[in-house]
Amino acid sequence: AGLDLSPILHVPPLAAGAARHQVRGQDHGLDRALDQTLIAEAAPALERGERVELAHDIRNVNRTVGTMLGSMVTRRYGADGLPPGTIDITFRGSGGQSFGAFLPPGVTLRVIGDTNDYTGKGLSGGVVAVRPDERAPFVAEQNVIAGNVIAYGATGGELYLRGVVGERFCVRNSGATAVAEGVGDHALEYMTGGAAVILGPTGRNLAAGMSGGYAYVLDLDTSLVNGELVDVEPLSDEDAARVQAIVEAHVAYTDSAVGRALLADWPAAVHRFSAIVPRDFRRALEATRRAAAAGEDVDAAVMAAARS
């Protein structure tokens, strides 16, 4: 009874010829999107599961490239998608925002050039790899290759970036494997799963709110880590094997100079990595191992660990 709702309910006067509701449709340009071409050219894969390799130029006006193509894969083959690499597309140029967003299994997108913000957003099983043009005169690991908020909310798949990326790398990642050669502030924020490997310097507030997943950083500056939920530890043998496999894949997809140098003397290089370990995640893993070894209910053991 004491609220004055008149500012909310007020009906402002209309200008001549204006309307209070939608009177014309919007043209989002989907009929002209690059994905329409990709879908047509990938027909053998979409219709018969045959392997397709394509090549295209790309500009930063081409946004969410691969998303419509990925939706066709999911509609026809479900969440399992296609076998790895069934659709393999190489682009040259600059990928626009949300390149490879929600990409499902079976689709590999490569960019020789760079990409913008939200690359790999919601990645759900596909592979995205970005590397500089072979003719680029700069040192890849000292320059930006992709924008901010890379792999936001990713649930699966792989992302390999030969170069530095912006802020909020792998925020809310819950299942993808992602590699970058340097990141800005707030990387790994709210990460709950998956694996992230950072082969270069980081910004501040690293791993804020991180509650799960695996994260490994080369030559880590521990003063930049937000330690509220995580600890920094040396790599275990299991960690070392996981990081080596990820770095090998990174080199295979991007020909990373950093990765090649590390692998050339891996016994020495592995000691330069630190693991960022969420405490609750570690307790859950330990409870899982103990329960499995004892033949006990794993779910019950994890729940008990969560309450402790």
Side-chain angles (χ1 to χ4, degrees):
L3 293 178
D4 177 10
L5 300 180
S6 59
I8 297 176
L9 302 177
H10 175 69
V11 179
L14 286 176
R20 295 192 188 280
H21 58 85
Q22 182 186 21
V23 294
R24 63 183 181 185
Q26 292 177 301
D27 179 10
H28 296 286
L30 295 183
D31 60 322
R32 302 182 298 279
L34 177 56
D35 268 52
Q36 299 288 9
T37 300
L38 303 181
I39 290 168
E41 295 181 355
L46 295 173
E47 296 171 5
R48 300 183 296 278
E50 298 175 2
R51 192 169 191 277
V52 173
E53 290 189 48
L54 305 173
H56 279 276
D57 291 335
I58 193 171
R59 299 170 54 210
N60 60 11
V61 296
N62 303 126
R63 299 186 177 187
T64 65
V65 170
T67 302
M68 292 171 65
L69 172 63
S71 76
M72 298 301 292
V73 172
T74 302
R75 290 177 188 182
R76 298 183 182 188
Y77 296 96
D80 291 339
L82 289 163
T86 301
I87 301 174
D88 194 319
I89 309 175
T90 298
F91 299 93
R92 283 188 175 271
S94 294
Q97 290 186 336
S98 299
F99 178 87
F102 310 108
L103 201 67
V107 185
T108 298
L109 302 183
R110 310 168 192 264
V111 177
I112 300 174
D114 54 39
T115 58
N116 279 263
D117 298 342
Y118 288 102
T119 296
K121 175 178 69 177
L123 186 67
S124 59
V127 179
V128 174
V130 187
R131 55 168 295 170
D133 191 290
E134 300 91 335
R135 299 164 294 181
F138 56 78
V139 179
E141 61 269 25
Q142 297 176 3
N143 288 272
V144 173
I145 192 73
N148 299 312
V149 205
I150 304 299
Y152 174 82
T155 61
E158 303 166 57
L159 178 63
Y160 302 103
L161 305 171
R162 183 181 173 184
V164 180
V165 303
E167 299 186 348
R168 291 192 155 85
F169 173 71
C170 278
V171 170
R172 299 190 185 280
N173 176 31
S174 65
T177 295
V179 183
E181 299 182 349
V183 300
D185 296 341
H186 316 296
L188 317 181
E189 190 176 34
Y190 306 129
M191 185 166 151
T192 62
V197 176
I198 301 173
L199 303 177
T202 75
R204 62 188 176 88
N205 201 34
L206 183 66
M210 180 183 176
S211 60
Y214 302 92
Y216 309 101
V217 184
L218 182 69
D219 299 329
L220 174 65
D221 180 349
T222 57
S223 70
L224 298 173
V225 177
N226 184 322
E228 184 176 358
L229 298 180
V230 303
D231 295 318
V232 176
E233 301 178 353
L235 269 61
S236 66
D237 290 343
E238 181 182 346
D239 289 327
R242 181 180 295 113
V243 175
Q244 183 177 6
I246 293 172
V247 173
E248 287 173 347
H250 180 59
V251 171
Y253 276 102
T254 69
D255 194 30
S256 165
V258 174
R260 280 190 279 107
L262 292 170
L263 294 173
D265 189 7
W266 185 250
V270 71
H271 297 294
R272 296 170 56 193
F273 284 91
S274 298
I276 298 177
V277 185
R279 299 185 194 103
D280 290 343
F281 183 63
R282 176 174 52 202
R283 282 202 296 270
L285 289 177
E286 291 171 351
T288 298
R289 293 189 184 105
R290 288 195 301 268
E296 299 173 350
D297 187 320
V298 171
D299 292 338
V302 170
M303 293 304 295
R307 291 192 293 268
S308 64

